[in-house]
Amino acid sequence: MSARTLFDKVWTAHEVVAETADTPAVLYIDLHLIHEVTTPQAFSMLRAAGLPVRRPDRTLATMDHSTPTQPEQVFGNVPIKLDAAAKQVRQLETNAADFGLELFGMRDARRGIVHVISPELGATQPGMTVVCGDSHTSTHGAFGALAFGIGTTEVGHVFATQALLQRKPKSFAVNVEGKLRPGVTAKDLILSIIGRIGVSGGTGYVLEYRGSTIRALSMDERMTVCNMSIEAGARAGMIAPDDITFAYLQGRPRAPAGAAWDIAVSQWRSLATDEGAVFDASVDIDASQLEPMVTYGTNPGMVVPLGASIPAHAGDEVFDKALRYMGFHSGDAMLGKPVNTVFIGSCTNGRLTDLQAAAHILKGRKVAPGVHLLIVPGSQQIKRDAEAAGYADIFKAAGADWRESGCSMCLGMNGDTVAAGMYSISTSNRNFEGRQGVGARTLLVSPLTAAASAVAGRIADPRELL
Ligand code: SF4
């Protein structure tokens, strides 16, 4: 058999019916992750057709997008403030009960952002196909899974059949070599990659992140990288599983155990791209030259090193419109720009090592007057771990707002929003117009840069505080 890529191996193993010129492939789905926002219509489809969920044992439900992060609304007697959010939460409770699905409800100790809890539980495993009604399902590709977001209608299809109609994407090797310098993180790496290939550069492809830099990343860092694959337009992003992957998974509640563990690891080892396999496209990145990055516009590809100025694109009306929205001008330096809100969290950077990085900067320091620093852990488990490690105490002593887990200000569906015209330094993954609130201006950065900027009250270089 000819040399094959990681993506090709996982795709082929799940192809129930191969695609033809006229028809897409039928792809079997191993794990369907669901949440309260993109499922109500899909459950209605099932009810209308009189169908059950075909594989409840391969379906996992949590609440994250619209759940409150204020402790009194989660664990106290204060009702959920937003009616729409309360309705979505109640609907998922009813739907999960009616269809016999496992649900991590509001007060469940395992609840959290869908892309954080599944790896945390060991439910996401190498070689799987994983889907969810959320774009950033690409996160799970960090484990060597083929993972991608689907629409509400497709959520209904997976409920009913445990399969999806899909055209096979092409493969794209992102080769990253060299050592990241101190203060340069996985977030800066993926922002640099998106800046290099553009927000449409990955369209039609599954990216495979490869090379010595990727091999040296922790699983948390690999998840940060894969999470933003969709921001380069890619269908998914993947990293071949290795000893770092296996060490992360071993002993987690839903990972194989005993003899099954050894069998699984030997299968997982065979997933790596074969020597000599050919990709449809590729790019080479020198990680040793990268800097901390910051976005200046309204998509993640509008990004520069922290010390750089905003470029000019004469005659580009879309570019000019983005700068008008942000209140910026070509030639402006990014360092020193004012900050109103800082958000540390999301499925990109809401994991324990992200909070550890923020705590490292914030320890013994104070948030600048007038700046609101909101820190939201990716899961309740991460919240407990951050409290046990002393990070939460550091955050509170610095003047930060420490909350319950959820998507929160990543998209503001739960009421955690940024006011119009205000500048938000955010560790999330999207800086689209209005993403964090109507008129809000979002700048994407790493947790280190976010924490340093919260202390300075302006965009600051974290390397000065390390
Ligand atoms: S944190 Fe943001 S990107 Fe991630 S699942 Fe929630 S809304 Fe989507």
Side-chain angles (χ1 to χ4, degrees):
M1 188 179 281
S2 60
R4 294 190 299 157
T5 63
L6 162 66
F7 161 61
D8 196 41
K9 291 179 188 182
V10 179
W11 176 278
T12 307
H14 292 82
E15 208 176 42
V16 182
V17 180
E19 69 179 350
T20 68
D22 300 322
T23 56
V26 179
L27 197 67
Y28 180 74
I29 302 303
D30 290 309
L31 178 62
H32 188 195
L33 302 169
I34 65 170
H35 58 85
E36 75 279 21
V37 174
T38 50
T39 51
Q41 280 172 276
F43 281 115
S44 298
M45 284 167 58
L46 284 187
R47 284 197 178 89
L51 292 170
V53 170
R54 184 172 167 90
R55 293 295 301 267
D57 59 323
R58 293 194 172 269
T59 310
L60 185 58
T62 190
M63 297 171 172
D64 53 6
H65 282 61
S66 59
T67 51
T69 54
Q70 297 278 10
E72 59 275 17
Q73 289 181 48
V74 179
F75 293 109
N77 293 321
V78 177
I80 297 177
K81 203 167 138 196
L82 294 184
D83 286 346
K87 188 170 166 229
Q88 286 171 333
V89 164
R90 281 196 303 272
Q91 258 187 323
L92 184 55
E93 285 168 348
T94 303
N95 286 329
D98 287 356
F99 287 89
L101 304 181
E102 183 178 27
L103 168 66
F104 298 155
M106 280 284 282
R107 297 185 180 184
D108 195 300
R110 298 162 297 179
R111 189 180 66 79
I113 303 174
V114 65
H115 309 311
V116 175
I117 61 158
S118 183
E120 194 172 79
L121 289 167
T124 298
Q125 294 167 19
M128 280 184 163
T129 45
V130 181
V131 295
C132 174
D134 183 274
S135 310
H136 297 90
T137 308
S138 57
T139 309
H140 307 264
F143 292 80
L146 174 59
F148 52 89
I150 55 176
T152 299
T153 306
E154 291 175 306
V155 171
H157 294 169
V158 179
F159 275 156
T161 66
Q162 202 59 30
L164 262 185
L165 297 174
Q166 284 290 299
R167 284 281 175 197
K168 188 177 182 181
K170 292 185 284 185
S171 59
F172 192 138
V174 180
N175 303 308
V176 193
E177 297 291 346
K179 198 169 168 358
L180 292 170
R181 293 185 284 201
V184 183
T185 69
K187 180 64 162 290
D188 303 304
L189 170 60
I190 187 61
L191 285 171
S192 302
I193 292 170
I194 297 167
R196 172 84 173 272
I197 69 175
V199 291
S200 306
T203 303
Y205 294 98
V206 168
L207 309 181
E208 183 185 329
Y209 301 98
R210 300 157 54 76
S212 60
T213 316
I214 303 298
R215 299 259 70 83
L217 297 179
S218 70
M219 288 313 298
D220 282 7
E221 292 170 319
R222 292 180 189 187
M223 283 189 263
T224 298
V225 170
C226 286
N227 174 274
M228 292 192 70
S229 305
I230 184 76
E231 306 308 332
R235 190 78 181 108
M238 301 176 82
I239 295 174
D242 59 13
D243 287 339
I244 291 174
T245 321
F246 310 145
Y248 176 97
L249 284 172
Q250 192 163 25
R252 294 197 180 254
R254 305 208 174 182
W261 171 259
D262 296 331
I263 294 168
V265 169
S266 85
Q267 287 170 349
W268 295 343
R269 281 195 196 283
S270 69
L271 291 169
T273 292
D274 298 327
E275 192 71 36
V278 176
F279 289 84
D280 297 302
S282 67
V283 65
D284 296 325
I285 307 280
D286 180 357
S288 69
Q289 297 304 307
L290 300 182
E291 299 276 333
M293 303 293 283
V294 60
T295 61
Y296 59 84
T298 54
N299 71 54
M302 300 178 79
V303 63
V304 288
L306 265 184
S309 303
I310 297 175
H313 288 274
D316 185 337
E317 183 46 37
V318 176
F319 182 85
D320 291 345
K321 179 173 175 282
L323 290 197
R324 279 198 299 278
Y325 180 83
M326 294 299 292
F328 293 160
H329 303 92
S330 293
D332 285 358
M334 292 307 292
L335 279 174
K337 282 201 170 292
V339 171
N340 305 110
T341 299
V342 178
F343 172 58
I344 298 177
S346 86
C347 60
T348 315
N349 283 129
R351 296 183 180 78
L352 191 65
T353 50
D354 299 313
L355 302 185
Q356 182 184 33
H360 182 73
I361 296 284
L362 290 168
K363 189 171 186 178
R365 298 190 170 102
K366 293 279 182 201
V367 174
V371 173
H372 178 210
L373 171 57
L374 179 67
I375 307 184
V376 181
S379 71
Q380 294 303 104
Q381 182 62 53
I382 291 169
K383 179 168 194 270
R384 290 190 294 276
D385 290 346
E387 287 171 351
Y391 306 153
D393 289 336
I394 292 171
F395 299 152
K396 287 185 263 187
D401 202 350
W402 173 241
R403 299 284 185 89
E404 303 297 329
S405 70
C407 298
S408 180
M409 206 177 267
C410 173
L411 82 171
M413 276 190 83
N414 69 339
D416 294 340
T417 53
V418 177
M422 295 294 109
Y423 289 100
S424 167
I425 302 292
S426 177
T427 66
S428 55
N429 46 42
R430 284 194 164 156
N431 53 347
F432 300 164
E433 285 188 27
R435 171 76 174 181
Q436 295 189 292
V438 177
R441 294 159 160 169
T442 302
L443 296 90
L444 303 177
V445 296
S446 74
L448 286 177
T449 302
S453 301
V455 169
R458 54 184 172 76
I459 297 175
D461 193 327
R463 292 173 293 191
E464 291 167 12
L465 302 183
L466 287 175

